[in-house]
Amino acid sequence: MVNYSYFASFLVFLAHPTIVFAQDINDRVLEDSSGDETYPSQSLTLRLDITPTIGGDLTEARGDRLEDAVAVSALALKYAVKLGPFVSFEANTGVKWTSDFEADDDDSSSSALFLDGQFTWTRGCRTLNPFAKIAVEQGRDDFIGSNKADTATFSTGANVAIYDKKLCGRNLTNFEKAQLSSFALSVTPTFERVESSDPFSERWTPRLTVKASKNIVEGLKASGSFDYQYRIYDLVAQGSDKQHVFRGDAGLDFAKLVFGDDSLVDTLKLGVSWTVTDIEGTGILQDKSKLVFTPGIGFSTKLF
């Protein structure tokens, strides 16, 4: 069962910023952000992401609740506030849904309402920034249909993010720094607890996530990520209760090359993704996902 008493012992957070693809540093944005900061400093962004898969089914990255997806889409409001020089808060809320267009497949179209957020102790650039997080998700059939499993993920950890030196100390969110930097590297060790109305999903999970992106030419960026999870389940139907989950992806983003700097389109990528699960005691690797092509497009507009 989802134990909401954890809300009192964990602060709201988002595990790590998404590294997106962009061109070289925009001097005008840096000039606008270089003055004296006033607190609280706030922003609100509306974002839409559409990520189909080609060549196989891909499990949803945050917990196996949106399975057998051919297209994963998400519409979200992203709120960020700097409460002071060392404390920041980011939150996301919205809906995500999958669409299965395989006529010979089972109907696995589904959706989820989500709310997550993050309190971060921002100690500075290129150093450990501890955080606490909660992510709540209500699974639904079809598009906002009948209720399925409810899931809450509570986490704590620390993030090390490396950007261009010119961006250190600027009045920018981590998301904006990753967009503007010609090179970005993020390393995030995390310890997670998953509570769910589905008892077979409840688990403890030490986790390590690494993300990187780099400009190739003006307007074109390459990126890659690696995610390792050691899942320790409370309850299993049979076999081992411990699993090693490996996820990775790599791709190129053409958004700035095709649409320029001021477009609503901030992501236009082509990539590949893979997932492998090793269940302890079986002696074999069991593929959770085949290697698939993952094109994607993302739109965003800053409301304030």
Side-chain angles (χ1 to χ4, degrees), residues 57-61 64 245-248 273-277 286-292:
D57 294 328
L58 180 65
T59 14
E60 195 273 335
D64 300 338
V245 181
F246 304 86
R247 289 192 172 104
S273 180
W274 62 93
T275 303
V276 175
T277 299
Q286 297 190 355
D287 290 336
K288 282 289 185 180
S289 173
K290 298 177 181 179
L291 182 68
V292 294

Side-chain angles (χ1 to χ4, degrees), residues 202-206 230-234 241-243:
E202 296 188 326
R203 62 184 182 265
W204 297 95
T205 310
Y230 180 46
R231 296 181 175 183
I232 307 171
Y233 287 88
D234 294 357
D241 61 349
K242 298 179 177 63
Q243 296 183 6

Side-chain angles (χ1 to χ4, degrees), residues 238-259:
Q238 59 182 0
S240 176
D241 61 349
K242 298 179 177 63
Q243 296 183 6
H244 302 271
V245 181
F246 304 86
R247 289 192 172 104
D249 65 72
L252 294 172
D253 190 282
F254 304 85
K256 298 299 181 182
L257 187 65
V258 175
F259 297 102

Side-chain angles (χ1 to χ4, degrees), residues 43-60:
S43 68
L44 182 66
T45 303
L46 178 65
R47 181 166 188 86
L48 171 65
D49 288 289
I50 302 172
T51 309
T53 64
I54 301 172
D57 294 328
L58 180 65
T59 14
E60 195 273 335

